Amino acid sequence: MPRFQFTIHATDGKARRGTIAMQRGEIRTPAFMPVGTAATVKAVKPQDVRASGADILLGNTYHLMLRPTAERVARLGGLHTFMGWDRPILTDSGGYQVMSLSELTKRSEEGVAFASHLDGSRHMMSPERSMEIQRLLGSDIVMAFDELVPTTSTRDVQAKAMERSMRWAKRSRAGFDSGEDHAARAALFGIQQGALDEGLRKASADALKDIGFDGYAVGGLAVGEGQEAMFGVLDYAPGQLDATKPRYLMGVGKPDDIVGAVERGIDMFDCVLPTRSGRTGQAFTRAGPINIRNAKFAEDQGPLDPACPCPVCGTWSRAYLHHLVRAGEILGAMLMTEHNLWFYQTLMADLRAAIEEQRLTAFANDFRAKYQTKQG
Ligand SMILES: [Zn+2]
């Protein structure tokens, strides 16, 4: 297997059907990456995550650096061995969590000083440190370290953050390349910033292209701006990035967000929604999300989603899941999460087939007609 090779097999409008070949396996795109925050996709064993159709997982640098620490994971053979997942893993840079979860953060050109949300201990995160942590974890796809500001910030604040992010992207590239053994088998993605401003997005895309990355993320979206504003950016942002490389929309999203983003040329996604929702009683179905705690499901003997091929829908009823979730049984969270992962991966497989067969618009329109975004 090559270090990193992206092949586009078919296109339909702006959408692309591709494959990323890496040493630990192939990633079929458009791809959805389940989130394994603390070296676990919560409530699901790795083999069951794989059975749902996932080719790659996401791990969180911020959480792992604090507990159990990247150094300990490295001593124990790396993240893949530690958690029992032998396929590709993408790690985020830690930047988003450092700037959103931690306390007493202090930003400078060097990086971000912060206090752990666990015990208040002081840490410094910088492009170089982020690259070192992701190398210690043994990540397959490493994300550049960038600076985030709210989309509601002034244009001047956004421009300065984007420009700093591009300087940090260059330092991330140098830091990644200095870990020669790791750099020989892993990939590095840059992150486009620029909030909702087309000119800033273009400047960011050009700066990243000059540095050169294996793939490009559209960053700074899915942070509360709403679907319409997000799609507004996605109407132009993917087209500003190198068309021969994968495009990753970080932190997205709801099923209808994913369908619309695939139509706009996005190849990779990650989101906590299927796993987090599974633990709170929300199930995704082709008719839209449902809350299994709702009394109307108490004696409903049908499956969560009649069209779902997952082992949960093949075995247990809405009534049983309603009971488990209401009773706070651990199995309820496990089964709900497993179904939700299958829902997301089946949606991705359906999108890939629709692109291959040049019927994405019809598929997407049919999906939207049936999918009620208001929870039932
Ligand atoms: Zn199911």
Side-chain angles (χ1 to χ4, degrees):
M1 281 288 202
R3 181 188 64 86
F4 187 90
Q5 187 180 319
F6 180 52
T7 308
I8 297 173
H9 309 296
T11 58
D12 186 357
K14 291 181 180 176
R16 301 113 66 85
R17 162 75 182 97
T19 303
I20 299 169
M22 299 195 76
Q23 294 192 359
R24 283 196 171 94
E26 288 190 342
I27 303 155
R28 296 161 288 177
T29 68
F32 179 79
M33 302 183 278
V35 176
T37 301
T40 165
V41 176
K42 290 187 199 304
V44 189
K45 293 202 294 277
Q47 59 262 45
D48 295 331
V49 175
R50 174 60 186 158
S52 74
D55 294 332
I56 177 170
L57 293 184
L58 182 142
N60 283 118
T61 287
Y62 171 80
H63 290 91
L64 295 169
M65 73 179 280
L66 297 178
R67 184 173 60 193
T69 75
E71 285 74 10
R72 178 172 291 167
V73 171
R75 286 194 296 275
L76 295 169
L79 188 54
H80 297 78
T81 304
F82 187 50
M83 69 181 288
W85 171 265
D86 60 5
R87 288 179 175 271
I89 295 176
L90 179 148
T91 46
D92 64 10
S93 72
Y96 179 76
Q97 277 88 8
V98 161
M99 292 173 231
S100 63
L101 285 183
S102 63
E103 293 160 0
L104 306 168
T105 60
K106 194 167 182 304
R107 301 183 190 198
S108 66
E109 187 63 25
E110 172 60 20
V112 184
F114 67 97
S116 162
H117 74 289
L118 295 174
D119 61 8
S121 58
R122 302 289 308 173
H123 300 267
M124 178 71 192
M125 186 64 110
S126 64
E128 292 76 17
R129 178 61 179 150
S130 176
M131 295 305 106
E132 182 184 27
I133 293 168
Q134 295 183 73
R135 179 165 65 241
L136 286 166
L137 295 172
S139 172
D140 299 284
I141 300 181
V142 170
M143 297 305 297
F145 185 71
D146 59 354
E147 184 178 24
L148 305 166
V149 291
T151 51
T152 49
S153 308
T154 65
R155 189 179 188 281
D156 187 51
V157 168
Q158 288 168 359
K160 285 196 164 69
M162 184 277 285
E163 286 159 10
R164 174 176 277 170
S165 290
M166 297 306 101
R167 292 192 295 276
W168 286 1
K170 203 168 185 177
R171 283 166 57 192
S172 294
R173 177 82 254 177
F176 176 85
D177 290 341
S178 72
E180 292 176 10
D181 289 354
H182 182 239
R185 55 178 181 73
L188 178 65
F189 279 24
I191 305 174
Q192 182 197 41
Q193 289 294 349
L196 310 180
D197 187 293
E198 186 167 358
L200 292 181
R201 288 266 168 198
K202 177 73 166 75
S204 179
D206 291 346
L208 292 174
K209 194 168 184 183
D210 284 346
I211 302 167
F213 291 93
D214 296 303
Y216 296 90
V218 179
L221 295 179
V223 289
E225 75 280 7
Q227 190 187 69
E228 194 182 336
M230 180 172 79
F231 283 172
V233 173
L234 293 180
D235 282 336
Y236 58 77
Q240 297 172 332
L241 301 168
D242 184 344
T244 66
K245 304 287 170 67
R247 302 160 177 158
Y248 164 29
L249 182 57
M250 305 174 77
V252 172
K254 297 190 182 93
D256 48 311
D257 292 337
I258 291 178
V259 171
V262 165
E263 288 179 292
R264 290 167 173 81
I266 297 293
D267 305 300
M268 300 169 71
F269 300 88
D270 82 273
C271 190
V272 296
L273 209 51
T275 39
R276 182 175 291 166
S277 298
R279 301 195 302 282
T280 60
Q282 186 184 60
F284 292 93
T285 81
R286 281 149 189 79
I290 60 170
N291 186 344
I292 201 64
R293 303 178 70 94
N294 195 312
K296 71 181 176 187
F297 299 122
E299 298 192 8
D300 186 336
Q301 291 180 284
L304 282 174
D305 183 345
C308 180
C310 92
V312 179
C313 290
T315 309
W316 294 285
S317 65
R318 288 175 165 185
Y320 182 59
L321 292 158
H322 169 88
H323 159 69
L324 290 180
V325 171
R326 282 274 189 121
E329 287 291 339
I330 292 168
L331 186 62
M334 293 166 61
L335 298 181
M336 292 285 288
T337 305
E338 186 175 5
H339 161 81
N340 283 345
L341 288 178
W342 274 78
F343 177 87
Y344 268 68
Q345 295 299 345
T346 305
L347 173 61
M348 302 317 293
D350 290 347
L351 287 163
R352 291 192 295 263
I355 298 167
E356 283 169 11
E357 294 161 16
Q358 311 282 308
R359 53 177 176 78
L360 180 63
T361 303
F363 173 83
N365 288 339
D366 183 59
F367 177 88
R368 283 186 282 264
K370 290 175 180 153
Y371 193 84
Q372 301 296 315
T373 52
K374 197 172 175 311
Q375 182 169 280

